[in-house]
Amino acid sequence: MTQIKIGIVGYGNLGRGVEVGLKNHPDMELVGIFSRRDPKDLDTTAPAYLIDDILDFKDKIDVLVLCGGSKTDIPEQGPALAKHFNTVDAYDTHALMPKHFAVMDEAAKANKHVSVIATGWDPGLFSLNRLMQEAILPVGETYTFWGRGLSQGHSDAVRRVPGVKKAAQYTVPDALMIEDIQAGEKVEYDQKNAHVREVYAVLEADADPLVVEKTIVEMPDYFKGYRTSVSFISEEEFEADHQGMGHGGHVIRQGETSDDMISTIEFGLNLESNPEFTAAVNIVYARAAYKLAEAEQYGAKTVFDIPPIYLSPKSRDEIIKNLL
Amino acid sequence: MTQIKIGIVGYGNLGRGVEVGLKNHPDMELVGIFSRRDPKDLDTTAPAYLIDDILDFKDKIDVLVLCGGSKTDIPEQGPALAKHFNTVDAYDTHALMPKHFAVMDEAAKANKHVSVIATGWDPGLFSLNRLMQEAILPVGETYTFWGRGLSQGHSDAVRRVPGVKKAAQYTVPDALMIEDIQAGEKVEYDQKNAHVREVYAVLEADADPLVVEKTIVEMPDYFKGYRTSVSFISEEEFEADHQGMGHGGHVIRQGETSDDMISTIEFGLNLESNPEFTAAVNIVYARAAYKLAEAEQYGAKTVFDIPPIYLSPKSRDEIIKNLL
């Protein structure tokens, strides 16, 4: 079997997720990890190289998985690398998607490459399910619930409160509201009442817990108006119980097929490792990028554009026989 | 707006579901219902015609939705109509899919048409989710649960038991097993222990309930080995409470992204009207058939082959901006 040759750009949690995830896919092979750091400093047994040397691999890699951040890495590296390679990214800045699509499309098309953008789970699988649910049940409402999972932004916000030494903030969906939607009942949904915010914080020695708690729960934008619980815990407990990377969520559509005849469609994820799962999605879209390039379907592509069969290593005959 | 012109072939529950469902889609228009029955006998205000006259509509219809049965109607009508029209069907005989694909592909390709096959929810949306789940989490297990919903075949089997006047059989998934899978726990799944069978029957006046119950629960293939409950009810209660067409189910994949790091992906449906929801899926794949034909992508297509964007009436710019 000819294996699809993969390169990883960036070696944080997501890059490590792609590295470990590729072991589940015998039709794919990791050619190298590319980082700004000295390859000797990366904790990996895979071949590692300086990002500056990546053009030496132009003919040795079928698809690059871009694992840098959405704020500065992807906007810079994406268009530059799409000139020389097929790429997949998990770009997740919702507001700037049209721009990201446009620059990747231009770079990829001009150089006969494929760039699959925004392939994690939100954006990514959640987006795909929102599209399909809304198309099938056009008269209805889509509800998104995130969690239970650690919110990096909210944890950072708590850590900036004077008196807080360490903190983790979990976004927790309202399970009863989810049940009501599934059961076809009407709900009053907004992001604030659909989610609970759980804060676990370690205090500095001289901090006043009442003052800290008040500062957290009244913080505008982040916590005000939300149901927030604050638990102060020991540093030992924090280190033992709050290092996980679990996450998940639900996208649910409740709609009418005819007057008062309700259907619900639901897509849900429960993930012990958010970065490893995001990587798992990137990997199957890397396979799709390879097949799209083989079919000369150049340019930027989204999860909406890709025939699902391209995600699978199996033949169409096998899929029709066993999965349809 | 140019509307997509739709014809419905067959006017049972599914055909009526397409008729009512099209009202939710302003970009589509119902041109006519085609039936073997005299059009005057159909309980509809839509234009209705004899199936024998359908070739008069060759240039007036963009896509035919084939709403006949999978046993004899679709195998006969499908290839014959695919020569003259783009088609969509909800063919559901899993074992004969490769053959159905082949005959529809041949008829459609030779005449430059598109035939989208097997587009309900199982096969259909469940198949699509099985493919995607398995691709993303190749090391793992897929679990399908059906229900709560009426099983036509099992209801028929109960009605054949001497002493039974009327009967309904519901397939009910084991909710606790679903929760265990969602929670990442190992389960012992087979179709028999994952589902409970609930029978509601009306007895003939002279029937012995003990004998009837024993005959039902020991019926090979249908009930033996299953957890089956039998409730004898009055004819009034049967008419009042057991005429619904609800159904649903779940496809869940539990897999490892790395050693012992579990993710679950879940797709679930809860449907007050099984035929109307099946019709709702047929309708969006009819839109896809129209777009595929416009793009000259002729031949038979499955849910695996179709870019999800083709299911939506929205433009790509709008979708990227609002759904990605």
Side-chain angles (χ1 to χ4, degrees), chain A residues 25 94 127-128 131 134-135 182 257-258 260 262 264 266-268 270 272 276 284 304-305 307-309 314 316 319 323-324, chain B residues 25 94 127-128 131 134-135 182 257-258 260 262 264 266-268 270 272 276 284 304-305 307-309 314 316 319 323-324:
Chain A
H25 296 272
H94 291 273
S127 321
L128 177 60
L131 177 90
E134 175 187 286
Q182 289 167 333
T257 50
S258 65
D260 292 329
I262 304 288
T264 62
E266 178 180 0
F267 180 77
N270 186 12
E272 286 189 358
E276 285 188 11
V284 295
F304 309 124
D305 300 309
I309 197 167
K314 296 184 175 174
R316 180 201 256 123
I319 288 169
L323 293 175
L324 194 57
Chain B
H25 296 273
H94 290 273
S127 320
L128 177 61
L131 177 91
E134 175 187 288
Q182 289 167 333
T257 50
S258 65
D260 293 328
I262 304 290
T264 63
E266 178 180 0
F267 180 76
N270 186 13
E272 286 190 357
E276 285 187 10
V284 295
F304 309 124
D305 299 309
I309 198 168
K314 296 184 174 173
R316 181 203 253 121
I319 289 169
L323 292 175
L324 195 57

Short mmCIF file of all heavy atoms in Angstrom, two decimals, chain A residues 25 94 127-128 131 134-135 182 257-258 260 262 264 266-268 270 272 276 284 304-305 307-309 314 316 319 323-324, chain B residues 25 94 127-128 131 134-135 182 257-258 260 262 264 266-268 270 272 276 284 304-305 307-309 314 316 319 323-324:
data_model
loop_
_atom_site.label_atom_id
_atom_site.label_comp_id
_atom_site.label_asym_id
_atom_site.label_seq_id
_atom_site.Cartn_x
_atom_site.Cartn_y
_atom_site.Cartn_z
N HIS A 25 -3.83 4.82 11.87
CA HIS A 25 -4.17 4.85 10.43
C HIS A 25 -3.05 4.24 9.60
O HIS A 25 -2.11 4.93 9.23
CB HIS A 25 -4.42 6.30 9.99
CG HIS A 25 -5.59 6.94 10.66
ND1 HIS A 25 -6.87 6.85 10.16
CD2 HIS A 25 -5.69 7.65 11.80
CE1 HIS A 25 -7.70 7.49 10.96
NE2 HIS A 25 -7.02 7.99 11.97
N HIS A 94 -14.06 32.03 14.42
CA HIS A 94 -15.31 32.04 13.65
C HIS A 94 -15.49 33.32 12.83
O HIS A 94 -15.86 33.27 11.66
CB HIS A 94 -16.52 31.86 14.58
CG HIS A 94 -16.62 30.50 15.19
ND1 HIS A 94 -17.27 29.46 14.57
CD2 HIS A 94 -16.15 30.01 16.35
CE1 HIS A 94 -17.20 28.38 15.34
NE2 HIS A 94 -16.53 28.68 16.43
N SER A 127 -20.06 22.32 12.86
CA SER A 127 -20.51 23.13 11.72
C SER A 127 -21.24 22.26 10.71
O SER A 127 -22.32 22.61 10.21
CB SER A 127 -19.32 23.80 11.03
OG SER A 127 -18.36 24.25 11.95
N LEU A 128 -20.62 21.11 10.39
CA LEU A 128 -21.21 20.18 9.43
C LEU A 128 -22.58 19.73 9.88
O LEU A 128 -23.55 19.68 9.10
CB LEU A 128 -20.26 18.98 9.29
CG LEU A 128 -20.68 17.83 8.40
CD1 LEU A 128 -20.89 18.30 6.99
CD2 LEU A 128 -19.61 16.73 8.44
N LEU A 131 -25.22 22.48 9.58
CA LEU A 131 -25.69 22.62 8.19
C LEU A 131 -26.70 21.54 7.85
O LEU A 131 -27.78 21.82 7.31
CB LEU A 131 -24.51 22.52 7.22
CG LEU A 131 -24.89 22.57 5.75
CD1 LEU A 131 -24.89 24.00 5.25
CD2 LEU A 131 -23.98 21.71 4.89
N GLU A 134 -30.08 21.82 9.87
CA GLU A 134 -30.89 22.96 9.43
C GLU A 134 -31.50 22.69 8.06
O GLU A 134 -32.63 23.10 7.78
CB GLU A 134 -29.98 24.18 9.41
CG GLU A 134 -30.59 25.44 8.88
CD GLU A 134 -29.54 26.52 8.74
OE1 GLU A 134 -29.10 27.07 9.77
OE2 GLU A 134 -29.12 26.82 7.60
N ALA A 135 -30.75 22.01 7.19
CA ALA A 135 -31.28 21.71 5.86
C ALA A 135 -32.46 20.74 5.96
O ALA A 135 -33.49 20.93 5.33
CB ALA A 135 -30.19 21.12 4.97
N GLN A 182 -34.49 17.31 23.60
CA GLN A 182 -34.59 15.97 23.01
C GLN A 182 -36.02 15.45 23.04
O GLN A 182 -36.46 14.74 22.15
CB GLN A 182 -33.68 14.99 23.78
CG GLN A 182 -32.21 15.22 23.57
CD GLN A 182 -31.36 14.46 24.58
OE1 GLN A 182 -31.80 14.17 25.69
NE2 GLN A 182 -30.13 14.14 24.19
N THR A 257 -41.64 18.64 11.17
CA THR A 257 -41.78 18.12 9.81
C THR A 257 -43.12 18.54 9.22
O THR A 257 -43.25 18.69 8.01
CB THR A 257 -41.63 16.58 9.79
OG1 THR A 257 -42.50 16.01 10.77
CG2 THR A 257 -40.19 16.17 10.08
N SER A 258 -44.12 18.69 10.07
CA SER A 258 -45.39 19.32 9.68
C SER A 258 -45.94 19.96 10.95
O SER A 258 -45.29 19.90 11.99
CB SER A 258 -46.36 18.29 9.09
OG SER A 258 -46.74 17.33 10.06
N ASP A 260 -46.83 20.93 14.30
CA ASP A 260 -46.77 20.30 15.63
C ASP A 260 -46.21 18.89 15.62
O ASP A 260 -46.34 18.17 16.62
CB ASP A 260 -48.16 20.28 16.28
CG ASP A 260 -48.64 21.68 16.63
OD1 ASP A 260 -47.78 22.53 16.92
OD2 ASP A 260 -49.85 21.92 16.58
N ILE A 262 -42.97 17.02 15.80
CA ILE A 262 -41.60 17.41 16.13
C ILE A 262 -40.60 16.29 15.85
O ILE A 262 -40.86 15.13 16.15
CB ILE A 262 -41.50 17.76 17.64
CG1 ILE A 262 -42.51 18.85 18.02
CG2 ILE A 262 -40.07 18.18 18.03
CD1 ILE A 262 -42.19 20.20 17.51
N THR A 264 -36.23 15.66 16.52
CA THR A 264 -34.95 16.23 16.94
C THR A 264 -33.82 15.40 16.33
O THR A 264 -33.91 14.18 16.21
CB THR A 264 -34.77 16.26 18.47
OG1 THR A 264 -34.79 14.93 18.98
CG2 THR A 264 -35.86 17.07 19.14
N GLU A 266 -29.61 15.07 16.78
CA GLU A 266 -28.61 15.43 17.78
C GLU A 266 -27.24 14.88 17.41
O GLU A 266 -27.13 13.75 16.95
CB GLU A 266 -29.03 14.82 19.13
CG GLU A 266 -28.05 15.08 20.23
CD GLU A 266 -28.50 14.46 21.55
OE1 GLU A 266 -29.58 13.84 21.58
OE2 GLU A 266 -27.76 14.59 22.53
N PHE A 267 -26.23 15.70 17.61
CA PHE A 267 -24.85 15.25 17.43
C PHE A 267 -24.11 15.57 18.72
O PHE A 267 -24.18 16.70 19.20
CB PHE A 267 -24.20 15.97 16.25
CG PHE A 267 -22.78 15.56 16.02
CD1 PHE A 267 -22.49 14.36 15.40
CD2 PHE A 267 -21.73 16.36 16.44
CE1 PHE A 267 -21.17 13.97 15.19
CE2 PHE A 267 -20.40 15.97 16.23
CZ PHE A 267 -20.13 14.77 15.60
N GLY A 268 -23.46 14.57 19.30
CA GLY A 268 -22.81 14.79 20.58
C GLY A 268 -21.42 14.21 20.64
O GLY A 268 -21.12 13.20 20.01
N ASN A 270 -18.16 13.35 23.52
CA ASN A 270 -17.67 13.28 24.89
C ASN A 270 -16.21 12.85 24.80
O ASN A 270 -15.92 11.71 24.43
CB ASN A 270 -18.51 12.26 25.68
CG ASN A 270 -18.13 12.24 27.14
OD1 ASN A 270 -17.41 13.12 27.62
ND2 ASN A 270 -18.60 11.24 27.86
N GLU A 272 -12.23 12.55 26.19
CA GLU A 272 -11.26 12.59 27.29
C GLU A 272 -10.10 13.49 26.94
O GLU A 272 -9.47 14.07 27.82
CB GLU A 272 -10.79 11.17 27.65
CG GLU A 272 -11.86 10.40 28.40
CD GLU A 272 -11.36 9.08 28.97
OE1 GLU A 272 -10.18 8.72 28.75
OE2 GLU A 272 -12.16 8.40 29.62
N GLU A 276 -6.42 15.57 21.30
CA GLU A 276 -6.28 14.33 20.52
C GLU A 276 -7.47 14.11 19.60
O GLU A 276 -7.32 13.61 18.48
CB GLU A 276 -6.11 13.11 21.44
CG GLU A 276 -4.73 13.03 22.06
CD GLU A 276 -4.51 11.72 22.83
OE1 GLU A 276 -5.33 10.80 22.72
OE2 GLU A 276 -3.50 11.65 23.55
N VAL A 284 -8.36 12.70 9.39
CA VAL A 284 -9.23 12.19 8.32
C VAL A 284 -9.43 13.23 7.22
O VAL A 284 -9.59 12.88 6.05
CB VAL A 284 -10.59 11.64 8.82
CG1 VAL A 284 -10.36 10.42 9.69
CG2 VAL A 284 -11.41 12.69 9.53
N PHE A 304 -17.94 21.37 4.61
CA PHE A 304 -19.19 21.34 3.83
C PHE A 304 -18.99 20.83 2.41
O PHE A 304 -19.93 20.38 1.76
CB PHE A 304 -19.80 22.74 3.74
CG PHE A 304 -19.94 23.44 5.06
CD1 PHE A 304 -19.36 24.69 5.26
CD2 PHE A 304 -20.63 22.85 6.10
CE1 PHE A 304 -19.49 25.34 6.48
CE2 PHE A 304 -20.77 23.49 7.32
CZ PHE A 304 -20.20 24.75 7.51
N ASP A 305 -17.75 20.97 1.92
CA ASP A 305 -17.48 20.71 0.51
C ASP A 305 -17.06 19.28 0.22
O ASP A 305 -16.95 18.89 -0.94
CB ASP A 305 -16.34 21.62 0.03
CG ASP A 305 -16.69 23.09 0.17
OD1 ASP A 305 -17.78 23.47 -0.30
OD2 ASP A 305 -15.90 23.85 0.76
N PRO A 307 -17.07 15.26 0.06
CA PRO A 307 -17.86 14.03 0.12
C PRO A 307 -17.34 13.15 1.26
O PRO A 307 -16.14 12.87 1.33
CB PRO A 307 -17.60 13.37 -1.24
CG PRO A 307 -17.14 14.48 -2.14
CD PRO A 307 -16.40 15.44 -1.24
N PRO A 308 -18.22 12.73 2.16
CA PRO A 308 -17.77 11.97 3.34
C PRO A 308 -16.93 10.74 2.99
O PRO A 308 -16.07 10.33 3.78
CB PRO A 308 -19.08 11.58 4.02
CG PRO A 308 -20.05 12.66 3.62
CD PRO A 308 -19.66 13.06 2.22
N ILE A 309 -17.15 10.15 1.82
CA ILE A 309 -16.40 8.95 1.46
C ILE A 309 -14.89 9.22 1.43
O ILE A 309 -14.09 8.32 1.65
CB ILE A 309 -16.90 8.38 0.11
CG1 ILE A 309 -16.46 6.93 -0.09
CG2 ILE A 309 -16.48 9.27 -1.06
CD1 ILE A 309 -17.16 6.22 -1.23
N LYS A 314 -11.52 3.12 3.18
CA LYS A 314 -12.14 1.97 2.52
C LYS A 314 -12.61 2.30 1.11
O LYS A 314 -12.86 3.45 0.77
CB LYS A 314 -13.32 1.48 3.35
CG LYS A 314 -12.91 0.96 4.71
CD LYS A 314 -14.11 0.40 5.46
CE LYS A 314 -13.63 -0.23 6.77
NZ LYS A 314 -14.78 -0.67 7.60
N ARG A 316 -15.29 2.25 -2.12
CA ARG A 316 -16.72 2.48 -2.19
C ARG A 316 -17.51 1.18 -2.15
O ARG A 316 -18.55 1.09 -1.48
CB ARG A 316 -17.09 3.28 -3.43
CG ARG A 316 -18.59 3.49 -3.46
CD ARG A 316 -19.10 3.79 -4.83
NE ARG A 316 -19.39 5.20 -4.93
CZ ARG A 316 -18.85 5.99 -5.82
NH1 ARG A 316 -18.00 5.49 -6.68
NH2 ARG A 316 -19.17 7.24 -5.86
N ILE A 319 -17.75 0.03 1.36
CA ILE A 319 -18.59 0.93 2.16
C ILE A 319 -20.06 0.69 1.86
O ILE A 319 -20.89 0.62 2.76
CB ILE A 319 -18.17 2.40 1.90
CG1 ILE A 319 -16.82 2.67 2.56
CG2 ILE A 319 -19.23 3.36 2.43
CD1 ILE A 319 -16.20 3.99 2.14
N LEU A 323 -21.73 -0.56 5.13
CA LEU A 323 -22.16 0.58 5.96
C LEU A 323 -23.48 1.19 5.53
O LEU A 323 -24.09 1.93 6.30
CB LEU A 323 -21.07 1.66 5.99
CG LEU A 323 -19.76 1.28 6.71
CD1 LEU A 323 -18.74 2.38 6.55
CD2 LEU A 323 -20.01 1.01 8.18
N LEU A 324 -23.92 0.93 4.28
CA LEU A 324 -25.16 1.59 3.83
C LEU A 324 -26.38 0.84 4.35
O LEU A 324 -26.35 -0.34 4.56
CB LEU A 324 -25.18 1.67 2.30
CG LEU A 324 -26.23 2.64 1.72
CD1 LEU A 324 -26.04 4.03 2.25
CD2 LEU A 324 -26.14 2.65 0.20
N HIS B 25 -39.82 24.19 2.20
CA HIS B 25 -38.67 24.50 1.33
C HIS B 25 -39.10 25.43 0.19
O HIS B 25 -39.53 24.95 -0.86
CB HIS B 25 -38.08 23.21 0.76
CG HIS B 25 -37.50 22.31 1.80
ND1 HIS B 25 -36.21 22.41 2.24
CD2 HIS B 25 -38.07 21.31 2.52
CE1 HIS B 25 -35.99 21.49 3.18
NE2 HIS B 25 -37.09 20.81 3.37
N HIS B 94 -30.81 -3.54 3.14
CA HIS B 94 -29.36 -3.46 3.33
C HIS B 94 -28.60 -4.50 2.50
O HIS B 94 -27.58 -4.18 1.88
CB HIS B 94 -29.01 -3.66 4.81
CG HIS B 94 -29.44 -2.53 5.69
ND1 HIS B 94 -28.64 -1.43 5.90
CD2 HIS B 94 -30.57 -2.31 6.39
CE1 HIS B 94 -29.26 -0.59 6.72
NE2 HIS B 94 -30.43 -1.09 7.03
N SER B 127 -26.06 5.63 8.20
CA SER B 127 -24.92 5.10 7.43
C SER B 127 -23.81 6.14 7.35
O SER B 127 -22.62 5.84 7.54
CB SER B 127 -25.37 4.76 6.01
OG SER B 127 -26.65 4.18 5.98
N LEU B 128 -24.20 7.39 7.05
CA LEU B 128 -23.24 8.48 6.93
C LEU B 128 -22.48 8.67 8.24
O LEU B 128 -21.25 8.83 8.26
CB LEU B 128 -24.01 9.76 6.58
CG LEU B 128 -23.25 11.06 6.47
CD1 LEU B 128 -22.19 10.97 5.40
CD2 LEU B 128 -24.21 12.20 6.16
N LEU B 131 -19.97 5.87 8.90
CA LEU B 131 -18.75 6.05 8.11
C LEU B 131 -17.83 7.09 8.76
O LEU B 131 -16.63 6.86 8.93
CB LEU B 131 -19.11 6.52 6.70
CG LEU B 131 -17.89 6.81 5.81
CD1 LEU B 131 -17.48 5.56 5.04
CD2 LEU B 131 -18.14 7.95 4.84
N GLU B 134 -16.40 5.97 12.26
CA GLU B 134 -15.39 4.92 12.13
C GLU B 134 -14.08 5.47 11.54
O GLU B 134 -12.99 5.05 11.93
CB GLU B 134 -15.97 3.83 11.23
CG GLU B 134 -15.05 2.71 10.87
CD GLU B 134 -15.71 1.80 9.84
OE1 GLU B 134 -16.64 1.06 10.19
OE2 GLU B 134 -15.29 1.84 8.66
N ALA B 135 -14.22 6.43 10.61
CA ALA B 135 -13.01 7.02 10.03
C ALA B 135 -12.24 7.81 11.09
O ALA B 135 -11.02 7.70 11.19
CB ALA B 135 -13.39 7.93 8.85
N GLN B 182 -21.76 6.24 26.39
CA GLN B 182 -21.45 7.67 26.36
C GLN B 182 -20.39 8.03 27.40
O GLN B 182 -19.57 8.92 27.18
CB GLN B 182 -22.72 8.48 26.65
CG GLN B 182 -23.73 8.47 25.52
CD GLN B 182 -25.08 9.02 25.95
OE1 GLN B 182 -25.43 8.96 27.13
NE2 GLN B 182 -25.84 9.54 25.01
N THR B 257 -8.41 7.61 21.14
CA THR B 257 -7.52 8.45 20.35
C THR B 257 -6.07 8.08 20.61
O THR B 257 -5.21 8.24 19.76
CB THR B 257 -7.76 9.94 20.66
OG1 THR B 257 -7.74 10.15 22.07
CG2 THR B 257 -9.11 10.40 20.11
N SER B 258 -5.77 7.61 21.83
CA SER B 258 -4.48 7.00 22.15
C SER B 258 -4.77 6.00 23.26
O SER B 258 -5.93 5.83 23.66
CB SER B 258 -3.46 8.05 22.58
OG SER B 258 -3.86 8.68 23.78
N ASP B 260 -6.03 4.09 26.04
CA ASP B 260 -6.94 4.35 27.17
C ASP B 260 -7.51 5.76 27.20
O ASP B 260 -8.08 6.17 28.21
CB ASP B 260 -6.25 4.07 28.52
CG ASP B 260 -5.95 2.60 28.68
OD1 ASP B 260 -6.73 1.79 28.16
OD2 ASP B 260 -4.93 2.27 29.31
N ILE B 262 -10.35 7.80 25.83
CA ILE B 262 -11.60 7.46 25.14
C ILE B 262 -12.32 8.71 24.62
O ILE B 262 -12.40 9.72 25.31
CB ILE B 262 -12.56 6.73 26.11
CG1 ILE B 262 -11.90 5.49 26.71
CG2 ILE B 262 -13.88 6.37 25.41
CD1 ILE B 262 -11.70 4.36 25.76
N THR B 264 -16.21 9.53 22.62
CA THR B 264 -17.41 9.00 22.00
C THR B 264 -18.01 10.06 21.07
O THR B 264 -17.97 11.26 21.36
CB THR B 264 -18.49 8.58 23.01
OG1 THR B 264 -18.93 9.71 23.75
CG2 THR B 264 -17.98 7.52 23.96
N GLU B 266 -21.62 10.66 18.92
CA GLU B 266 -22.98 10.14 18.95
C GLU B 266 -23.87 10.90 17.98
O GLU B 266 -23.79 12.13 17.87
CB GLU B 266 -23.53 10.33 20.37
CG GLU B 266 -24.95 9.88 20.52
CD GLU B 266 -25.46 10.08 21.94
OE1 GLU B 266 -24.69 10.57 22.78
OE2 GLU B 266 -26.63 9.77 22.18
N PHE B 267 -24.72 10.16 17.29
CA PHE B 267 -25.74 10.76 16.43
C PHE B 267 -27.08 10.18 16.85
O PHE B 267 -27.23 8.96 16.94
CB PHE B 267 -25.46 10.44 14.97
CG PHE B 267 -26.48 11.03 14.02
CD1 PHE B 267 -26.45 12.38 13.72
CD2 PHE B 267 -27.48 10.24 13.47
CE1 PHE B 267 -27.39 12.94 12.86
CE2 PHE B 267 -28.43 10.79 12.61
CZ PHE B 267 -28.38 12.15 12.31
N GLY B 268 -28.05 11.03 17.14
CA GLY B 268 -29.32 10.54 17.65
C GLY B 268 -30.51 11.22 17.00
O GLY B 268 -30.45 12.39 16.62
N ASN B 270 -34.90 11.59 17.37
CA ASN B 270 -36.13 11.35 18.12
C ASN B 270 -37.26 11.92 17.28
O ASN B 270 -37.37 13.13 17.13
CB ASN B 270 -36.04 12.02 19.49
CG ASN B 270 -37.23 11.68 20.36
OD1 ASN B 270 -38.00 10.77 20.04
ND2 ASN B 270 -37.39 12.40 21.45
N GLU B 272 -41.27 12.20 15.97
CA GLU B 272 -42.70 11.95 16.18
C GLU B 272 -43.32 11.30 14.96
O GLU B 272 -44.29 10.57 15.08
CB GLU B 272 -43.42 13.26 16.53
CG GLU B 272 -43.10 13.72 17.95
CD GLU B 272 -43.98 14.87 18.41
OE1 GLU B 272 -44.81 15.39 17.64
OE2 GLU B 272 -43.81 15.28 19.58
N GLU B 276 -42.54 11.14 7.94
CA GLU B 276 -42.30 12.55 7.60
C GLU B 276 -40.81 12.89 7.70
O GLU B 276 -40.30 13.67 6.91
CB GLU B 276 -43.11 13.49 8.51
CG GLU B 276 -44.59 13.52 8.16
CD GLU B 276 -45.35 14.59 8.94
OE1 GLU B 276 -44.73 15.43 9.62
OE2 GLU B 276 -46.60 14.56 8.89
N VAL B 284 -34.02 16.86 1.02
CA VAL B 284 -32.73 17.56 0.89
C VAL B 284 -31.80 16.83 -0.08
O VAL B 284 -30.99 17.46 -0.76
CB VAL B 284 -32.02 17.83 2.24
CG1 VAL B 284 -32.86 18.78 3.09
CG2 VAL B 284 -31.71 16.55 3.01
N PHE B 304 -22.76 8.92 1.03
CA PHE B 304 -21.31 9.04 1.23
C PHE B 304 -20.65 9.92 0.17
O PHE B 304 -19.55 10.43 0.37
CB PHE B 304 -20.64 7.66 1.16
CG PHE B 304 -21.28 6.62 2.04
CD1 PHE B 304 -21.73 5.42 1.50
CD2 PHE B 304 -21.42 6.84 3.39
CE1 PHE B 304 -22.31 4.46 2.31
CE2 PHE B 304 -22.00 5.88 4.22
CZ PHE B 304 -22.44 4.68 3.67
N ASP B 305 -21.30 10.03 -0.98
CA ASP B 305 -20.67 10.68 -2.13
C ASP B 305 -20.97 12.17 -2.23
O ASP B 305 -20.37 12.85 -3.06
CB ASP B 305 -21.19 10.03 -3.43
CG ASP B 305 -20.87 8.55 -3.50
OD1 ASP B 305 -19.69 8.21 -3.29
OD2 ASP B 305 -21.78 7.74 -3.74
N PRO B 307 -21.24 16.07 -1.27
CA PRO B 307 -20.76 17.16 -0.42
C PRO B 307 -21.94 17.75 0.35
O PRO B 307 -22.95 18.12 -0.27
CB PRO B 307 -20.19 18.17 -1.40
CG PRO B 307 -19.90 17.40 -2.65
CD PRO B 307 -20.94 16.31 -2.69
N PRO B 308 -21.85 17.83 1.68
CA PRO B 308 -22.99 18.30 2.48
C PRO B 308 -23.54 19.65 2.04
O PRO B 308 -24.74 19.91 2.20
CB PRO B 308 -22.40 18.37 3.90
CG PRO B 308 -21.30 17.35 3.89
CD PRO B 308 -20.73 17.37 2.52
N ILE B 309 -22.71 20.50 1.45
CA ILE B 309 -23.19 21.81 1.03
C ILE B 309 -24.32 21.70 0.01
O ILE B 309 -25.18 22.59 -0.07
CB ILE B 309 -22.02 22.67 0.48
CG1 ILE B 309 -22.39 24.15 0.46
CG2 ILE B 309 -21.56 22.18 -0.88
CD1 ILE B 309 -21.20 25.07 0.21
N LYS B 314 -28.61 27.41 0.89
CA LYS B 314 -27.84 28.64 1.08
C LYS B 314 -26.57 28.65 0.22
O LYS B 314 -26.06 27.61 -0.18
CB LYS B 314 -27.46 28.78 2.55
CG LYS B 314 -28.66 28.94 3.45
CD LYS B 314 -28.24 29.18 4.89
CE LYS B 314 -29.46 29.48 5.76
NZ LYS B 314 -29.10 29.56 7.18
N ARG B 316 -22.49 29.29 -0.53
CA ARG B 316 -21.31 28.95 0.23
C ARG B 316 -20.84 30.12 1.09
O ARG B 316 -20.44 29.94 2.24
CB ARG B 316 -20.19 28.48 -0.68
CG ARG B 316 -18.98 28.11 0.16
CD ARG B 316 -17.70 28.18 -0.58
NE ARG B 316 -17.25 26.83 -0.84
CZ ARG B 316 -17.04 26.38 -2.06
NH1 ARG B 316 -17.22 27.18 -3.08
NH2 ARG B 316 -16.63 25.15 -2.22
N ILE B 319 -22.91 30.27 4.15
CA ILE B 319 -22.66 29.12 5.03
C ILE B 319 -21.33 29.29 5.77
O ILE B 319 -21.24 29.04 6.98
CB ILE B 319 -22.68 27.81 4.20
CG1 ILE B 319 -24.12 27.51 3.78
CG2 ILE B 319 -22.09 26.66 4.98
CD1 ILE B 319 -24.24 26.41 2.74
N LEU B 323 -22.13 29.47 9.57
CA LEU B 323 -22.19 28.13 10.15
C LEU B 323 -20.83 27.53 10.47
O LEU B 323 -20.74 26.56 11.21
CB LEU B 323 -22.96 27.18 9.22
CG LEU B 323 -24.45 27.46 9.05
CD1 LEU B 323 -25.07 26.54 8.01
CD2 LEU B 323 -25.19 27.31 10.38
N LEU B 324 -19.76 28.08 9.88
CA LEU B 324 -18.44 27.45 10.12
C LEU B 324 -17.84 27.92 11.44
O LEU B 324 -18.12 29.00 11.90
CB LEU B 324 -17.49 27.78 8.97
CG LEU B 324 -16.22 26.91 8.90
CD1 LEU B 324 -16.56 25.44 8.81
CD2 LEU B 324 -15.34 27.32 7.72
#
